[in-house]
Amino acid sequence: MRENFSKASVRALRDRAGNRCSRPTCLCFTVGADISTTDGVTLIGVAAHIHAASPGGPRYNSRQSAAERSSIKNAIWLCENCASLIDKNGGRNFSASTISGWKAEAERNTSDLVLFQKSQTRPDWLSRMHYAQFINVPRLSTILNLGAELASLNNKMRNGFRGLGMETGRIAAYIEEAIARSSIQAIDIDDILPVSDEFVGQIVSFNKNCFTKNGVDAGSVVSPKLLAKFDARKSPHFYIKSGSSKIIFPYDPAWVTTNTAYCDFTSGRVRFAGLGVLKRIDYSENQIFVSPLLVAFPRNDFMDAFYGKKF
């Protein structure tokens, strides 16, 4: 007897896969508009069995019960082509563990997409930047696709902003405007807590009172070892306290923009707004490490009225 899936299981399986084929080298959409009608759809997705529905089928597992064979746990959402492919040659080319891995990855990806779409927003302070105190030019130029515009300055910026003189202001202003006009989005730093590994690699936004530590004077050079391997006693960084967690932002002073900004990074306590990439989590010490992309001073309503809106 062939054990088929219920309609409810098929719908749930399809939705959990985001209506896309779960095979990682395919990922095609499995539903689309039927343009020959005004309200019809074309469906090319199927609920395929990981272990065969009946004896003699691909990857049949005699130890499964009838309920287990018809369970959503034994199903994967695929396009028609991939569903046919995994069953060729009696299913010998694609093991059950491989197919189960595809399913787990596909569902993890759709979960992440929903999570981050809900939590990612454009920080309102981005359109109110007065000036940037720190700009990680290499990382931001990649994110904002500014490589061609900054290519002529690559050699000059090998040591960061040091030695650029008045050119620093021009570069900073250009990047500030590019950021303000971009569609870049981030997760508010408060929304990552309690933190988990799924946030690693995500862009986060903050606008908080921060504590600075190990800041240096303008022109000082920090040992590359202290930049490559964080040392709380010596590496330049600032941090935010949030409950029992400590969010640490190690930075390279070479990308601090002005002498005034250097003072901010040695002030002990200061209000910073910025963007960063969450790099790693130390669960044993309740520490979260974020690599800053931008640290800026946003305008308030009084400054907008006095200076006029910048962007």
Side-chain angles (χ1 to χ4, degrees):
M1 179 179 177
R2 180 180 175 84
E3 307 296 345
N4 292 320
F5 305 116
S6 68
K7 290 182 179 179
S9 292
V10 172
R11 286 194 299 269
L13 185 70
R14 177 196 64 201
D15 291 347
R16 287 176 65 85
N19 229 323
R20 302 182 77 155
C21 178
S22 298
R23 187 184 176 205
T25 54
C26 179
L27 301 178
C28 72
F29 288 105
T30 55
V31 68
D34 179 356
I35 59 175
S36 66
T37 67
T38 58
D39 58 358
V41 297
T42 298
L43 180 66
I44 61 167
V46 296
H49 283 78
I50 298 174
H51 293 287
S54 55
R59 298 170 300 278
Y60 180 75
N61 182 354
S62 61
R63 291 173 294 180
Q64 283 187 320
S65 65
E68 287 172 331
R69 288 193 192 96
S70 61
S71 165
I72 193 172
K73 293 181 180 179
N74 191 41
I76 181 171
W77 187 257
L78 297 170
C79 69
E80 292 172 343
N81 288 338
C82 289
S84 174
L85 179 67
I86 65 170
D87 287 348
K88 290 186 182 299
N89 298 319
R92 288 186 292 274
N93 296 335
F94 298 94
S95 67
S97 61
T98 294
I99 297 170
S100 295
W102 295 352
K103 178 183 180 180
E105 181 181 359
E107 294 184 348
R108 185 166 53 248
N109 289 340
T110 58
S111 173
D112 287 349
L113 282 171
V114 171
L115 171 66
F116 295 132
Q117 280 179 351
K118 285 182 177 179
S119 56
Q120 282 185 336
T121 57
R122 178 175 171 77
D124 66 330
W125 58 263
L126 275 180
S127 59
R128 296 186 291 105
M129 275 192 295
H130 187 50
Y131 68 89
Q133 295 142 301
F134 172 94
I135 304 174
N136 187 332
V137 174
R139 294 294 303 276
L140 271 177
S141 63
T142 298
I143 292 171
L144 299 175
N145 197 26
L146 301 177
E149 290 85 345
L150 299 176
S152 62
L153 298 169
N154 283 343
N155 288 334
K156 292 183 180 180
M157 290 193 293
R158 283 180 298 181
N159 296 315
F161 288 122
R162 295 192 189 100
L164 290 183
M166 297 297 291
E167 205 158 19
T168 296
R170 182 177 68 83
I171 297 168
Y174 175 77
I175 296 178
E176 287 171 18
E177 184 168 359
I179 294 169
R181 299 190 185 283
S182 74
S183 58
I184 192 169
Q185 294 188 324
I187 303 171
D188 188 274
I189 202 77
D190 289 333
D191 290 341
I192 69 170
L193 300 173
V195 74
S196 61
D197 288 340
E198 62 193 0
F199 290 108
V200 174
Q202 296 296 317
I203 297 177
V204 296
S205 168
F206 56 93
N207 187 359
K208 296 278 190 180
N209 289 322
C210 302
F211 299 90
T212 65
K213 192 170 182 182
N214 305 326
V216 299
D217 296 329
S220 299
V221 178
V222 176
S223 167
K225 292 182 179 180
L226 291 178
L227 300 176
K229 187 175 182 179
F230 179 73
D231 183 336
R233 298 167 301 173
K234 299 179 181 179
S235 298
H237 66 282
F238 60 94
Y239 62 92
I240 297 169
K241 291 181 178 178
S242 183
S244 61
S245 297
K246 188 175 184 180
I247 307 169
I248 300 172
F249 300 78
Y251 67 93
D252 182 352
W255 298 109
V256 175
T257 57
T258 65
N259 288 341
T260 301
Y262 272 100
C263 293
D264 291 334
F265 281 96
T266 58
S267 64
R269 185 170 182 175
V270 64
R271 182 87 179 188
F272 280 154
L275 300 171
V277 177
L278 200 156
K279 301 295 287 186
R280 66 183 178 92
I281 305 165
D282 184 341
Y283 290 101
S284 63
E285 297 293 334
N286 285 327
Q287 294 179 338
I288 303 163
F289 290 86
V290 176
S291 177
L293 299 170
L294 172 76
V295 177
F297 180 68
R299 296 182 178 216
N300 53 36
D301 292 340
F302 172 80
M303 295 173 70
D304 273 342
F306 185 82
Y307 292 103
K309 291 189 176 181
K310 192 170 181 180
F311 301 112

